[in-house]
Amino acid sequence: MGAEQAAQLMAGVDRLPDVGHLVVLMLENRSFDHLLGFLYTDQGNVSATGQAYEGLTGAESNPDQNGKLVTVRRIEATDPHPYFMPGANPGEGYRPTNAQLFGAPDPPSPPVAGMQGFVTDFAAVLDRGAQPNRTVLPGTVAGDIMACHTPQTLPVLSALARGYAVCDHWFSSVPTETLPNRAFSCAATSQGHLDDSTHQFTCPSIFGRLSTAGVPWRAYGYDALPMVSGNFPDIHGASPDHFGVFTDFQAAAAGGTLAGFTLLEPSWGATGNSEHPVYDVALGEQLIQAVYRALRDGPGWDQTLLVITYDEHGGCYDHVPPPTTATPPGDGTVGEFGFDFARFGVRVPTVLVSPLIAAGTVHRSAVATAPLDHTSILRTVERRWAVPALTARDAAAGDVGAALTLDAPRTDDVLAGVAAPAAAAVNPAAGEVSHLQQVYADLVDRQFIPAGRG
Protein backbone atom coordinates (compact mmCIF):
# COMPACT_ATOMS: atom_id res chain seq x y z
CA MET A 1 0.00 0.00 0.00
CA GLY A 2 1.39 3.41 -0.99
CA ALA A 3 1.82 6.33 1.39
CA GLU A 4 -0.85 8.38 -0.40
CA GLN A 5 -3.37 5.56 -0.15
CA ALA A 6 -2.40 4.83 3.47
CA ALA A 7 -2.94 8.48 4.38
CA GLN A 8 -6.36 8.40 2.76
CA LEU A 9 -7.34 5.27 4.64
CA MET A 10 -6.11 6.71 7.96
CA ALA A 11 -8.21 9.79 7.28
CA GLY A 12 -11.22 7.59 6.57
CA VAL A 13 -11.59 8.80 2.97
CA ASP A 14 -10.94 5.63 0.99
CA ARG A 15 -13.11 6.04 -2.12
CA LEU A 16 -12.45 2.68 -3.75
CA PRO A 17 -15.52 1.07 -2.10
CA ASP A 18 -17.59 3.71 -3.92
CA VAL A 19 -16.62 2.08 -7.23
CA GLY A 20 -19.27 -0.39 -8.30
CA HIS A 21 -18.04 -0.85 -11.86
CA LEU A 22 -14.37 -1.16 -12.85
CA VAL A 23 -14.04 -1.14 -16.64
CA VAL A 24 -10.73 -1.81 -18.42
CA LEU A 25 -10.07 -1.00 -22.07
CA MET A 26 -6.68 -2.40 -23.11
CA LEU A 27 -5.46 -1.34 -26.54
CA GLU A 28 -2.36 -2.35 -28.47
CA ASN A 29 1.32 -1.58 -28.79
CA ARG A 30 1.94 2.09 -28.14
CA SER A 31 4.43 3.67 -25.77
CA PHE A 32 3.75 6.50 -23.35
CA ASP A 33 5.86 9.10 -25.15
CA HIS A 34 4.42 8.10 -28.52
CA LEU A 35 0.86 8.99 -27.46
CA LEU A 36 1.09 11.25 -24.40
CA GLY A 37 4.67 12.52 -24.22
CA PHE A 38 3.67 16.01 -25.45
CA LEU A 39 0.55 16.24 -23.26
CA TYR A 40 1.95 18.93 -20.94
CA THR A 41 5.13 19.98 -22.76
CA ASP A 42 3.75 23.43 -23.56
CA GLN A 43 3.00 23.90 -19.83
CA GLY A 44 6.53 23.00 -18.75
CA ASN A 45 5.50 19.42 -17.98
CA VAL A 46 3.36 20.51 -15.04
CA SER A 47 -0.33 19.62 -14.89
CA ALA A 48 -3.14 22.05 -14.12
CA THR A 49 -2.98 20.97 -10.49
CA GLY A 50 0.74 21.79 -10.28
CA GLN A 51 1.91 18.16 -10.37
CA ALA A 52 5.13 17.24 -12.15
CA TYR A 53 4.68 15.23 -15.33
CA GLU A 54 7.42 13.12 -16.89
CA GLY A 55 6.72 13.99 -20.49
CA LEU A 56 8.88 15.10 -23.38
CA THR A 57 10.83 18.34 -23.47
CA GLY A 58 11.38 18.09 -27.24
CA ALA A 59 15.14 17.67 -26.84
CA GLU A 60 15.17 13.86 -26.45
CA SER A 61 17.07 11.98 -29.14
CA ASN A 62 18.42 8.65 -30.34
CA PRO A 63 21.39 7.93 -32.62
CA ASP A 64 20.81 6.53 -36.10
CA GLN A 65 22.90 3.85 -37.81
CA ASN A 66 25.64 6.42 -38.49
CA GLY A 67 25.65 7.86 -34.99
CA LYS A 68 23.76 11.00 -35.99
CA LEU A 69 21.24 12.08 -33.39
CA VAL A 70 17.57 12.04 -34.36
CA THR A 71 15.51 14.34 -32.17
CA VAL A 72 11.99 13.57 -31.05
CA ARG A 73 9.38 15.46 -33.08
CA ARG A 74 5.65 16.12 -33.08
CA ILE A 75 3.28 14.31 -35.39
CA GLU A 76 1.24 16.99 -37.14
CA ALA A 77 -2.24 16.60 -38.60
CA THR A 78 -0.78 17.90 -41.86
CA ASP A 79 1.71 15.01 -42.11
CA PRO A 80 1.08 12.59 -45.02
CA HIS A 81 -0.30 9.82 -42.77
CA PRO A 82 -0.36 10.96 -39.12
CA TYR A 83 -2.63 8.16 -37.90
CA PHE A 84 -0.52 5.41 -39.45
CA MET A 85 2.76 6.46 -37.87
CA PRO A 86 5.47 5.30 -37.38
CA GLY A 87 4.90 3.94 -40.89
CA ALA A 88 5.77 0.31 -40.18
CA ASN A 89 5.40 -2.19 -37.37
CA PRO A 90 8.47 -1.73 -35.13
CA GLY A 91 10.35 -4.60 -33.54
CA GLU A 92 8.35 -6.49 -30.94
CA GLY A 93 9.26 -9.16 -28.45
CA TYR A 94 11.93 -9.71 -25.83
CA ARG A 95 15.06 -9.41 -27.95
CA PRO A 96 13.94 -6.40 -30.04
CA THR A 97 12.86 -4.67 -26.82
CA ASN A 98 16.33 -5.31 -25.39
CA ALA A 99 17.84 -3.82 -28.55
CA GLN A 100 15.72 -0.70 -28.06
CA LEU A 101 16.58 -0.37 -24.36
CA PHE A 102 20.20 -1.53 -24.27
CA GLY A 103 21.40 -1.40 -27.88
CA ALA A 104 21.80 -5.20 -28.04
CA PRO A 105 19.40 -8.17 -28.06
CA ASP A 106 20.80 -9.49 -24.79
CA PRO A 107 20.69 -7.28 -21.69
CA PRO A 108 23.87 -6.23 -19.90
CA SER A 109 24.51 -6.99 -16.25
CA PRO A 110 23.24 -5.01 -14.46
CA PRO A 111 20.42 -4.25 -16.95
CA VAL A 112 20.79 -0.45 -17.08
CA ALA A 113 18.71 0.87 -19.97
CA GLY A 114 20.04 3.81 -21.96
CA MET A 115 16.87 3.98 -24.14
CA GLN A 116 19.07 4.74 -27.15
CA GLY A 117 18.33 1.86 -29.51
CA PHE A 118 14.91 2.74 -30.94
CA VAL A 119 16.10 4.29 -34.21
CA THR A 120 18.68 1.60 -34.97
CA ASP A 121 16.23 -1.21 -34.18
CA PHE A 122 13.58 0.39 -36.40
CA ALA A 123 16.20 0.72 -39.12
CA ALA A 124 16.78 -3.04 -38.87
CA VAL A 125 13.03 -3.59 -39.36
CA LEU A 126 13.01 -1.37 -42.44
CA ASP A 127 16.14 -3.01 -43.84
CA ARG A 128 14.31 -6.33 -43.92
CA GLY A 129 11.90 -4.74 -46.38
CA ALA A 130 8.35 -5.76 -47.18
CA GLN A 131 7.27 -9.06 -45.63
CA PRO A 132 3.92 -10.85 -45.42
CA ASN A 133 1.58 -8.87 -43.16
CA ARG A 134 4.20 -6.20 -42.43
CA THR A 135 3.18 -3.09 -44.36
CA VAL A 136 5.78 -0.35 -44.80
CA LEU A 137 4.42 3.02 -45.91
CA PRO A 138 6.33 4.64 -48.78
CA GLY A 139 8.82 7.19 -47.52
CA THR A 140 9.16 5.69 -44.04
CA VAL A 141 12.62 6.20 -42.53
CA ALA A 142 14.19 4.98 -39.30
CA GLY A 143 13.91 8.39 -37.68
CA ASP A 144 10.11 8.21 -37.88
CA ILE A 145 10.14 6.13 -34.70
CA MET A 146 10.91 9.40 -32.88
CA ALA A 147 7.66 11.02 -34.06
CA CYS A 148 5.10 11.37 -31.26
CA HIS A 149 1.48 12.46 -31.11
CA THR A 150 0.19 15.67 -29.55
CA PRO A 151 -3.09 16.75 -27.97
CA GLN A 152 -4.02 18.16 -31.36
CA THR A 153 -3.79 14.80 -33.12
CA LEU A 154 -5.23 12.78 -30.19
CA PRO A 155 -7.93 15.08 -28.79
CA VAL A 156 -9.98 12.33 -27.10
CA LEU A 157 -7.23 10.54 -25.16
CA SER A 158 -5.58 13.87 -24.32
CA ALA A 159 -8.81 15.44 -23.04
CA LEU A 160 -9.43 12.45 -20.78
CA ALA A 161 -5.82 12.49 -19.56
CA ARG A 162 -6.06 16.18 -18.69
CA GLY A 163 -9.64 16.01 -17.48
CA TYR A 164 -9.12 13.10 -15.08
CA ALA A 165 -5.88 11.27 -14.20
CA VAL A 166 -2.90 10.25 -16.28
CA CYS A 167 -0.39 7.71 -14.94
CA ASP A 168 3.02 8.78 -16.20
CA HIS A 169 4.85 5.93 -14.44
CA TRP A 170 2.72 2.98 -15.56
CA PHE A 171 4.83 0.24 -17.12
CA SER A 172 3.94 -2.85 -19.08
CA SER A 173 4.47 -5.89 -16.90
CA VAL A 174 7.06 -7.61 -19.08
CA PRO A 175 9.62 -6.25 -21.61
CA THR A 176 8.11 -8.10 -24.53
CA GLU A 177 5.06 -8.39 -26.75
CA THR A 178 1.29 -8.61 -26.43
CA LEU A 179 0.10 -11.91 -25.01
CA PRO A 180 2.55 -12.22 -22.09
CA ASN A 181 1.52 -8.71 -21.00
CA ARG A 182 -2.18 -9.49 -21.40
CA ALA A 183 -1.63 -12.66 -19.35
CA PHE A 184 -0.07 -10.57 -16.58
CA SER A 185 -3.05 -8.20 -16.69
CA CYS A 186 -5.44 -11.12 -16.05
CA ALA A 187 -3.34 -13.63 -14.11
CA ALA A 188 -0.21 -11.82 -12.80
CA THR A 189 2.01 -14.27 -14.67
CA SER A 190 2.75 -15.42 -18.21
CA GLN A 191 4.00 -18.77 -16.84
CA GLY A 192 7.48 -17.96 -18.13
CA HIS A 193 6.42 -17.19 -21.70
CA LEU A 194 7.84 -14.16 -23.49
CA ASP A 195 6.25 -14.29 -26.93
CA ASP A 196 2.87 -14.62 -28.61
CA SER A 197 3.38 -18.26 -29.62
CA THR A 198 1.74 -19.34 -26.36
CA HIS A 199 -1.78 -18.06 -26.04
CA GLN A 200 -3.44 -20.62 -23.81
CA PHE A 201 -2.39 -20.65 -20.17
CA THR A 202 -3.02 -23.14 -17.38
CA CYS A 203 -2.97 -20.79 -14.38
CA PRO A 204 -5.85 -19.22 -12.43
CA SER A 205 -7.13 -15.83 -13.57
CA ILE A 206 -8.94 -12.89 -12.01
CA PHE A 207 -12.15 -14.15 -13.62
CA GLY A 208 -12.03 -17.37 -11.61
CA ARG A 209 -11.26 -15.43 -8.45
CA LEU A 210 -14.29 -13.20 -9.02
CA SER A 211 -16.55 -16.14 -9.82
CA THR A 212 -15.54 -17.84 -6.57
CA ALA A 213 -16.28 -14.62 -4.68
CA GLY A 214 -19.65 -14.19 -6.39
CA VAL A 215 -18.64 -10.92 -8.05
CA PRO A 216 -20.22 -10.37 -11.49
CA TRP A 217 -17.76 -9.95 -14.37
CA ARG A 218 -18.00 -9.62 -18.13
CA ALA A 219 -15.58 -9.65 -21.07
CA TYR A 220 -16.50 -8.08 -24.40
CA GLY A 221 -14.83 -8.26 -27.78
CA TYR A 222 -15.54 -5.56 -30.31
CA ASP A 223 -17.24 -7.47 -33.10
CA ALA A 224 -16.55 -11.06 -31.97
CA LEU A 225 -16.27 -12.90 -28.68
CA PRO A 226 -13.29 -11.71 -26.63
CA MET A 227 -9.99 -13.50 -27.15
CA VAL A 228 -9.48 -13.73 -23.39
CA SER A 229 -12.36 -16.21 -23.25
CA GLY A 230 -9.96 -18.79 -24.72
CA ASN A 231 -6.89 -17.98 -22.66
CA PHE A 232 -7.49 -19.42 -19.17
CA PRO A 233 -9.05 -22.67 -17.90
CA ASP A 234 -11.19 -21.04 -15.22
CA ILE A 235 -12.95 -18.93 -17.84
CA HIS A 236 -13.76 -21.76 -20.28
CA GLY A 237 -16.67 -23.08 -18.26
CA ALA A 238 -18.24 -19.69 -17.64
CA SER A 239 -21.80 -19.28 -18.84
CA PRO A 240 -22.29 -17.55 -22.21
CA ASP A 241 -23.76 -14.46 -20.57
CA HIS A 242 -20.26 -13.56 -19.34
CA PHE A 243 -19.22 -12.73 -22.91
CA GLY A 244 -20.40 -10.45 -25.66
CA VAL A 245 -19.52 -7.81 -28.22
CA PHE A 246 -19.29 -4.04 -27.97
CA THR A 247 -22.96 -3.40 -28.61
CA ASP A 248 -23.74 -5.69 -25.66
CA PHE A 249 -21.46 -3.56 -23.49
CA GLN A 250 -23.20 -0.40 -24.66
CA ALA A 251 -26.57 -1.95 -23.83
CA ALA A 252 -25.38 -2.95 -20.35
CA ALA A 253 -24.05 0.56 -19.69
CA ALA A 254 -27.27 2.16 -20.90
CA GLY A 255 -29.46 -0.28 -18.99
CA GLY A 256 -27.64 -0.02 -15.68
CA THR A 257 -26.55 -3.67 -15.75
CA LEU A 258 -22.77 -3.29 -15.87
CA ALA A 259 -20.86 -6.00 -14.01
CA GLY A 260 -18.49 -5.28 -11.16
CA PHE A 261 -15.50 -5.93 -13.43
CA THR A 262 -15.56 -5.51 -17.20
CA LEU A 263 -12.75 -6.14 -19.70
CA LEU A 264 -13.06 -4.61 -23.18
CA GLU A 265 -11.06 -5.78 -26.17
CA PRO A 266 -10.73 -3.90 -29.47
CA SER A 267 -11.13 -5.45 -32.91
CA TRP A 268 -7.93 -7.25 -33.84
CA GLY A 269 -7.97 -6.86 -37.63
CA ALA A 270 -5.80 -4.55 -39.71
CA THR A 271 -8.80 -2.32 -40.34
CA GLY A 272 -9.84 -2.47 -36.69
CA ASN A 273 -9.46 -0.11 -33.74
CA SER A 274 -6.72 -1.79 -31.68
CA GLU A 275 -4.15 0.94 -32.56
CA HIS A 276 -1.49 -1.70 -33.29
CA PRO A 277 1.12 -0.18 -35.63
CA VAL A 278 0.64 0.42 -38.49
CA TYR A 279 -3.15 0.44 -38.09
CA ASP A 280 -5.40 3.49 -37.76
CA VAL A 281 -4.99 5.31 -34.43
CA ALA A 282 -7.96 7.54 -35.27
CA LEU A 283 -10.21 4.48 -35.02
CA GLY A 284 -8.81 3.91 -31.55
CA GLU A 285 -9.71 7.47 -30.63
CA GLN A 286 -13.25 6.80 -31.82
CA LEU A 287 -13.43 3.63 -29.71
CA ILE A 288 -12.19 5.43 -26.59
CA GLN A 289 -14.80 8.11 -27.10
CA ALA A 290 -17.54 5.49 -27.58
CA VAL A 291 -16.54 3.71 -24.36
CA TYR A 292 -16.53 6.96 -22.42
CA ARG A 293 -19.83 8.03 -23.94
CA ALA A 294 -21.50 4.73 -23.03
CA LEU A 295 -20.34 5.02 -19.42
CA ARG A 296 -20.78 8.79 -19.00
CA ASP A 297 -24.33 8.71 -20.35
CA GLY A 298 -25.37 5.62 -18.38
CA PRO A 299 -27.03 5.45 -14.95
CA GLY A 300 -23.97 3.83 -13.32
CA TRP A 301 -21.54 6.65 -14.13
CA ASP A 302 -21.18 7.94 -10.57
CA GLN A 303 -19.89 4.53 -9.43
CA THR A 304 -17.63 3.83 -12.42
CA LEU A 305 -13.84 3.75 -12.80
CA LEU A 306 -12.54 3.35 -16.37
CA VAL A 307 -8.91 2.34 -16.95
CA ILE A 308 -7.62 2.98 -20.49
CA THR A 309 -4.25 1.35 -21.11
CA TYR A 310 -2.08 -0.40 -23.72
CA ASP A 311 -0.67 -3.89 -23.37
CA GLU A 312 2.90 -3.04 -24.44
CA HIS A 313 4.93 -0.37 -26.18
CA GLY A 314 5.19 -2.20 -29.51
CA GLY A 315 8.65 -0.83 -30.28
CA CYS A 316 7.51 2.83 -30.14
CA TYR A 317 9.86 5.35 -28.55
CA ASP A 318 9.92 6.15 -24.84
CA HIS A 319 12.64 7.95 -22.89
CA VAL A 320 12.10 6.60 -19.34
CA PRO A 321 14.08 3.46 -18.40
CA PRO A 322 11.85 0.70 -17.02
CA PRO A 323 12.50 -0.03 -13.34
CA THR A 324 14.38 -3.18 -12.35
CA THR A 325 12.45 -3.67 -9.10
CA ALA A 326 9.65 -5.94 -10.29
CA THR A 327 8.53 -8.77 -8.03
CA PRO A 328 8.68 -12.09 -9.92
CA PRO A 329 5.40 -14.02 -9.88
CA GLY A 330 6.91 -16.75 -7.74
CA ASP A 331 4.72 -19.40 -9.39
CA GLY A 332 7.55 -21.81 -10.09
CA THR A 333 7.75 -21.18 -13.83
CA VAL A 334 11.08 -20.55 -15.53
CA GLY A 335 11.35 -17.59 -17.87
CA GLU A 336 12.30 -18.04 -21.50
CA PHE A 337 15.68 -16.54 -22.51
CA GLY A 338 16.69 -16.90 -18.85
CA PHE A 339 14.53 -13.90 -17.94
CA ASP A 340 13.84 -13.57 -14.21
CA PHE A 341 10.79 -11.25 -14.40
CA ALA A 342 12.54 -8.81 -12.08
CA ARG A 343 12.29 -5.85 -14.43
CA PHE A 344 9.26 -4.17 -15.96
CA GLY A 345 8.50 -3.50 -19.60
CA VAL A 346 8.43 -0.09 -21.28
CA ARG A 347 6.07 2.70 -20.14
CA VAL A 348 2.64 2.64 -21.71
CA PRO A 349 -0.15 5.25 -21.75
CA THR A 350 -2.66 4.78 -18.95
CA VAL A 351 -5.55 7.10 -18.13
CA LEU A 352 -7.95 6.75 -15.19
CA VAL A 353 -11.44 8.13 -15.74
CA SER A 354 -13.97 8.57 -12.94
CA PRO A 355 -16.20 11.36 -11.64
CA LEU A 356 -14.40 10.81 -8.31
CA ILE A 357 -11.05 11.95 -9.82
CA ALA A 358 -9.98 15.58 -9.86
CA ALA A 359 -9.10 17.13 -13.23
CA GLY A 360 -5.39 17.49 -13.91
CA THR A 361 -4.32 14.57 -11.70
CA VAL A 362 -0.97 12.90 -12.37
CA HIS A 363 -1.17 9.60 -10.52
CA ARG A 364 1.82 7.48 -9.53
CA SER A 365 2.55 4.79 -7.00
CA ALA A 366 3.87 6.27 -3.78
CA VAL A 367 6.38 3.40 -3.54
CA ALA A 368 9.28 3.85 -5.97
CA THR A 369 10.15 0.15 -5.97
CA ALA A 370 6.59 -0.83 -6.95
CA PRO A 371 5.51 1.44 -9.81
CA LEU A 372 2.15 0.94 -11.41
CA ASP A 373 1.94 -1.83 -13.99
CA HIS A 374 -0.80 -4.04 -15.44
CA THR A 375 -1.04 -6.05 -12.22
CA SER A 376 -2.15 -2.81 -10.53
CA ILE A 377 -5.49 -3.47 -12.24
CA LEU A 378 -5.63 -6.84 -10.51
CA ARG A 379 -4.64 -5.34 -7.17
CA THR A 380 -7.40 -2.73 -7.51
CA VAL A 381 -9.98 -5.45 -8.22
CA GLU A 382 -8.64 -7.58 -5.36
CA ARG A 383 -8.79 -4.80 -2.81
CA ARG A 384 -12.19 -3.57 -3.96
CA TRP A 385 -13.86 -6.98 -3.76
CA ALA A 386 -11.64 -8.64 -1.13
CA VAL A 387 -10.37 -11.47 -3.33
CA PRO A 388 -6.93 -13.07 -2.85
CA ALA A 389 -3.93 -12.27 -5.00
CA LEU A 390 -3.02 -14.60 -7.85
CA THR A 391 0.79 -14.47 -7.57
CA ALA A 392 3.51 -12.61 -5.70
CA ARG A 393 3.51 -9.94 -8.44
CA ASP A 394 -0.02 -8.66 -7.90
CA ALA A 395 0.32 -9.15 -4.15
CA ALA A 396 3.17 -6.60 -4.27
CA ALA A 397 1.48 -4.22 -6.71
CA GLY A 398 -0.12 -0.93 -5.78
CA ASP A 399 -3.72 -0.24 -6.67
CA VAL A 400 -5.13 3.00 -8.09
CA GLY A 401 -7.62 3.77 -5.33
CA ALA A 402 -5.67 6.81 -4.17
CA ALA A 403 -6.53 8.59 -7.45
CA LEU A 404 -10.14 8.79 -6.23
CA THR A 405 -10.03 11.90 -4.07
CA LEU A 406 -13.37 13.68 -4.48
CA ASP A 407 -16.13 13.61 -1.89
CA ALA A 408 -18.89 13.85 -4.50
CA PRO A 409 -19.00 12.78 -8.16
CA ARG A 410 -18.29 15.47 -10.73
CA THR A 411 -21.06 16.43 -13.10
CA ASP A 412 -19.01 17.95 -15.94
CA ASP A 413 -18.44 16.22 -19.27
CA VAL A 414 -14.81 16.57 -20.39
CA LEU A 415 -15.53 15.32 -23.91
CA ALA A 416 -18.42 17.69 -24.54
CA GLY A 417 -17.59 19.35 -27.85
CA VAL A 418 -14.56 17.11 -28.49
CA ALA A 419 -14.65 15.40 -31.88
CA ALA A 420 -12.72 12.19 -32.46
CA PRO A 421 -10.38 12.40 -35.46
CA ALA A 422 -10.69 10.43 -38.66
CA ALA A 423 -7.81 9.44 -40.89
CA ALA A 424 -7.89 11.11 -44.29
CA ALA A 425 -5.80 8.38 -45.90
CA VAL A 426 -6.76 4.81 -46.79
CA ASN A 427 -5.43 2.22 -44.35
CA PRO A 428 -2.26 0.91 -46.02
CA ALA A 429 -2.48 -2.40 -44.14
CA ALA A 430 -6.11 -3.11 -45.04
CA GLY A 431 -5.27 -6.41 -46.74
CA GLU A 432 -3.26 -7.87 -43.90
CA VAL A 433 -4.28 -10.69 -41.60
CA SER A 434 -3.00 -9.52 -38.22
CA HIS A 435 -1.08 -11.91 -35.99
CA LEU A 436 -3.76 -11.57 -33.31
CA GLN A 437 -6.40 -12.59 -35.84
CA GLN A 438 -4.27 -15.67 -36.40
CA VAL A 439 -4.08 -16.30 -32.66
CA TYR A 440 -7.84 -15.89 -32.39
CA ALA A 441 -8.45 -18.34 -35.26
CA ASP A 442 -6.20 -20.89 -33.58
CA LEU A 443 -8.13 -20.61 -30.31
CA VAL A 444 -11.38 -21.14 -32.22
CA ASP A 445 -9.93 -24.12 -34.12
CA ARG A 446 -8.85 -25.67 -30.82
CA GLN A 447 -12.33 -24.97 -29.39
CA PHE A 448 -11.10 -22.70 -26.61
CA ILE A 449 -13.35 -20.01 -28.11
CA PRO A 450 -16.68 -21.43 -29.31
CA ALA A 451 -17.21 -20.76 -33.00
CA GLY A 452 -20.27 -18.78 -33.97
CA ARG A 453 -20.99 -17.26 -30.58
CA GLY A 454 -21.18 -13.50 -30.18
Side-chain angles (χ1 to χ4, degrees):
M1 183 182 299
E4 181 181 1
Q5 176 186 318
Q8 280 194 330
L9 294 179
M10 290 178 62
V13 292
D14 181 22
R15 303 296 179 201
L16 190 55
D18 296 334
V19 172
H21 313 292
L22 198 161
V23 179
V24 175
L25 172 63
M26 181 172 279
L27 297 165
E28 277 277 288
N29 291 43
R30 300 284 172 167
S31 71
F32 187 89
D33 276 344
H34 182 69
L35 295 190
L36 292 174
F38 283 117
L39 183 70
Y40 285 120
T41 301
D42 294 343
Q43 291 78 44
N45 281 322
V46 176
S47 78
T49 58
Q51 294 175 282
Y53 179 77
E54 190 147 17
L56 294 166
T57 65
E60 294 81 5
S61 65
N62 256 213
D64 67 10
Q65 313 90 295
N66 301 313
K68 182 180 178 181
L69 292 181
V70 181
T71 304
V72 70
R73 71 170 178 86
R74 299 170 185 247
I75 295 173
E76 304 289 353
T78 54
D79 287 348
H81 41 72
Y83 294 108
F84 302 110
M85 293 295 288
N89 184 18
E92 293 182 59
Y94 178 73
R95 290 172 68 82
T97 298
N98 285 338
Q100 294 151 17
L101 304 188
F102 308 113
D106 295 308
S109 182
V112 178
M115 312 302 285
Q116 292 292 295
F118 288 89
V119 174
T120 52
D121 188 67
F122 195 44
V125 169
L126 298 179
D127 285 346
R128 290 194 288 271
Q131 302 174 64
N133 295 330
R134 292 188 72 92
T135 295
V136 178
L137 272 67
T140 299
V141 297
D144 288 340
I145 201 68
M146 301 300 289
C148 298
H149 282 281
T150 69
Q152 289 69 46
T153 53
L154 301 182
V156 173
L157 184 64
S158 299
L160 293 174
R162 287 172 168 174
Y164 295 101
V166 59
C167 301
D168 65 343
H169 282 182
W170 185 295
F171 296 84
S172 53
S173 294
V174 208
T176 189
E177 55 192 321
T178 289
L179 291 181
N181 276 293
R182 286 185 174 266
F184 263 83
S185 74
C186 294
T189 181
S190 65
Q191 298 189 289
H193 298 293
L194 289 172
D195 61 38
D196 286 350
S197 297
T198 299
H199 37 267
Q200 210 284 319
F201 303 91
T202 60
C203 55
S205 75
I206 193 62
F207 305 104
R209 286 282 196 270
L210 291 173
S211 292
T212 299
V215 179
W217 59 266
R218 299 288 185 274
Y220 299 96
Y222 187 74
D223 49 13
L225 288 180
M227 182 168 60
V228 74
S229 64
N231 292 146
F232 301 98
D234 57 9
I235 201 173
H236 292 159
S239 59
D241 62 346
H242 284 89
F243 310 109
V245 295
F246 191 68
T247 52
D248 298 320
F249 161 73
Q250 290 174 308
T257 59
L258 283 173
F261 177 66
T262 296
L263 177 65
L264 300 174
E265 293 180 0
S267 54
W268 302 118
T271 57
N273 50 25
S274 73
E275 298 195 29
H276 190 293
V278 60
Y279 308 157
D280 188 353
V281 171
L283 291 179
E285 282 277 280
Q286 294 167 29
L287 174 60
I288 293 169
Q289 184 178 51
V291 171
Y292 170 83
R293 200 74 276 148
L295 296 173
R296 174 64 181 76
D297 296 344
W301 170 242
D302 286 353
Q303 296 83 42
T304 296
L305 169 60
L306 168 64
V307 180
I308 303 164
T309 190
Y310 291 72
D311 50 29
E312 48 119 344
H313 79 296
C316 297
Y317 174 70
D318 196 76
H319 79 281
V320 174
T324 56
T325 54
T327 299
D331 57 350
T333 55
V334 178
E336 295 169 344
F337 303 101
F339 185 62
D340 60 5
F341 293 92
R343 58 185 172 92
F344 293 96
V346 178
R347 256 192 340 167
V348 291
T350 303
V351 174
L352 309 177
V353 178
S354 169
L356 296 174
I357 295 176
T361 297
V362 179
H363 183 66
R364 301 176 183 173
S365 170
V367 181
T369 55
L372 299 172
D373 81 309
H374 295 330
T375 64
S376 296
I377 296 170
L378 299 176
R379 196 74 204 126
T380 303
V381 172
E382 291 158 3
R383 187 165 81 82
R384 169 58 184 86
W385 283 286
V387 298
L390 290 150
T391 73
R393 171 64 72 86
D394 56 321
D399 64 69
V400 301
L404 308 167
T405 59
L406 300 182
D407 293 334
R410 292 163 51 183
T411 59
D412 59 319
D413 184 348
V414 303
L415 289 189
V418 176
V426 175
N427 187 334
E432 290 187 3
V433 177
S434 77
H435 82 287
L436 288 180
Q437 283 181 305
Q438 295 169 337
V439 167
Y440 192 97
D442 181 64
L443 289 170
V444 171
D445 287 344
R446 296 163 64 194
Q447 299 184 339
F448 290 118
I449 299 176
R453 264 176 44 194

